[in-house]
Amino acid sequence: MLDHVSLNVSDYERSKAFYEKALAPLGVKLLMEYGVAGGFGRDNKPDFWIAKGPGSYQKSEQLAIISPVHLAFTARSREEVDAFYQAALAAGAKDFGPPGIREIYHPNYYGAFVLDPDGHNVEAVYHGPA
């Protein structure tokens, strides 16, 4: 349904380093860069972008305050969720919910949550059986 998502960050280099480390266990890597904007993805398709500053779709006053958002990345196994969580913490994330089943969503919902350097709630989730 979505082609790509862009996330505002306050410090591009800091966030780029964070996401390179945190998303590596999911097979996601930095694929493109344009100044202080970078696109991450799998299979040569950048579907997750970070950028500092107003983008072509924003005005500078919209960036005065970064409002934290929630992003959930698809993992291909529970082990990838676990590895994402550990990599994100090692990269400087704050714990926001360790890996585990979240039955409130469905019986096989296995996710982990961290806060990135700007306070965005970043999740890795796997929906399959153990």
Side-chain angles (χ1 to χ4, degrees), residues 42-98:
R42 291 187 193 130
D43 303 322
N44 295 316
K45 166 79 170 60
D47 3 65
F48 170 61
W49 289 82
I50 61 169
K52 178 179 175 163
S56 59
Y57 55 91
Q58 299 165 309
K59 296 179 180 177
S60 59
E61 60 267 19
Q62 292 174 295
L63 299 176
I65 299 174
I66 292 179
S67 296
V69 298
H70 172 65
L71 296 169
F73 290 92
T74 302
R76 295 168 288 196
S77 67
R78 290 183 180 192
E79 292 77 20
E80 277 194 0
V81 172
D82 296 344
F84 155 82
Y85 179 76
Q86 292 304 321
L89 292 179
K94 293 180 184 171
D95 170 53
F96 203 57

Side-chain angles (χ1 to χ4, degrees), residues 13 16 20 28-29 36 45 47 53 57 69-70 75 87-88 109:
E13 291 299 327
K16 179 176 82 168
E20 285 179 312
V28 175
K29 60 185 178 181
V36 289
K45 166 79 170 60
D47 3 65
Y57 55 91
V69 298
H70 172 65
Y109 193 108

